[in-house]
Amino acid sequence: MRIAQIAPLSEAVPPKFYGGTERVVSWITEELVRQGHEVTLFASGDSDTSAKLASCTPEGLRLLGYRDHTASHLAMLHQVHRRAHEFDILHFHIDLLQYPMFEDLNHKCLTTMHGRLDVPDFMPVYRTFTGMPLVSISDNQRLPMPPTSNWLATIHHGLPTQNCPYTPETRGGYLAFLGRISPEKRPDRAIEMAIRSGTPLKIAAKVDKADQDYWNEKIEPMIHHPLVEFIGEINEEQKKDFLGNALALAFPIDWPEPFGLVMIEAMSAGTPVIAFRNGSVPEVIKDGVSGVLCETMDDAVAAVAKVKTMSRAGVRRHFEGNFTAECMVKKYVAAYEELLSRGADVIKLPSSSFKPQYGELNGSARPAIPVAAMPA
């Protein structure tokens, strides 16, 4: 197949520093090429790929200092639309800007939804442009979406088996917290798990400006316990040993996580995951095999003892059977084939059935969804 992958321009593909979506786009692209497909990657010019690269900006927009990326994405979409006849499939990873521009090409388009979908601000687009075929990264991610959404498949993320090599025996005996310091990630729960279970905790995480107050007021005072070590942000190479040598990954989230790449990175290394049952977690973790699912802090503390007896080989087998890049791309190819088999007449669903529910307040439109319903 001739496939276009359309990536966000915020970061290179793969990202030089942060960027979960760009990393997944890279894994999809490289595996498609390996499987013999003709792939063109629309991305920033500093991207590294074995596919044909269509450079849409000199480098990732964040590194260029751009604050608003909308104009650059619209320019990229114009280029993609002009070249659309060159491809059998147009695979988007950029949220929703493409919906109106590609409505005439829905029969060969699909969009992977990489983020949370419970934000009321975006609902007018989701309700209006119902023809765009969508891929969710977990079944749970779909729940807030309108019933008219055109779901094509749920495809869990997968990563190359060598990215986080299997480590048969832990050499660290510590709990690992990896990611971002933020209220929804709940590093405070990880710290409590460690202290109550008497187990060392290593925190490898960045602190975004938006979360600086949370760090200053809540987390920084907690990290001075002798069992807690704050490492800061680590790179991809450091991540291998950090996860591979851990007793378990602490994943105590408190939000509807769409997927959670760090869970499968840990499982790739053979490291079980102690996770709170939120969002995608029950779809990713097999309780008692690749980790322990928790409802309460008492469950999480008890789980520390449970993971000590779990088979790291069993954790790795669960990863290999479900969350490799090869598994992911086989499902995407099946989705592409399903899309093409439907034909243009079937896939072009009506987009005019939605009438926005707006009221008037002092002459200006406002959403019918109350502001209080917006997520924190």
Side-chain angles (χ1 to χ4, degrees), residues 127-145:
R127 289 173 178 152
T128 300
F129 299 98
T130 56
M132 174 62 72
L134 306 177
V135 171
S136 53
I137 56 176
S138 66
D139 289 335
N140 183 271
Q141 183 195 30
R142 297 185 180 194
L143 295 180
M145 290 287 278

Side-chain angles (χ1 to χ4, degrees), residues 138-185:
S138 66
D139 289 335
N140 183 271
Q141 183 195 30
R142 297 185 180 194
L143 295 180
M145 290 287 278
T148 52
S149 299
N150 187 19
W151 294 111
L152 182 62
T154 289
I155 300 177
H156 295 138
H157 289 330
L159 57 91
T161 56
Q162 71 274 14
N163 273 39
C164 290
Y166 172 51
T167 306
E169 296 181 4
T170 175
R171 296 187 292 274
Y174 56 85
L175 299 175
F177 180 95
L178 177 64
R180 177 167 53 89
I181 299 293
S182 65
E184 66 271 17
K185 300 290 188 180

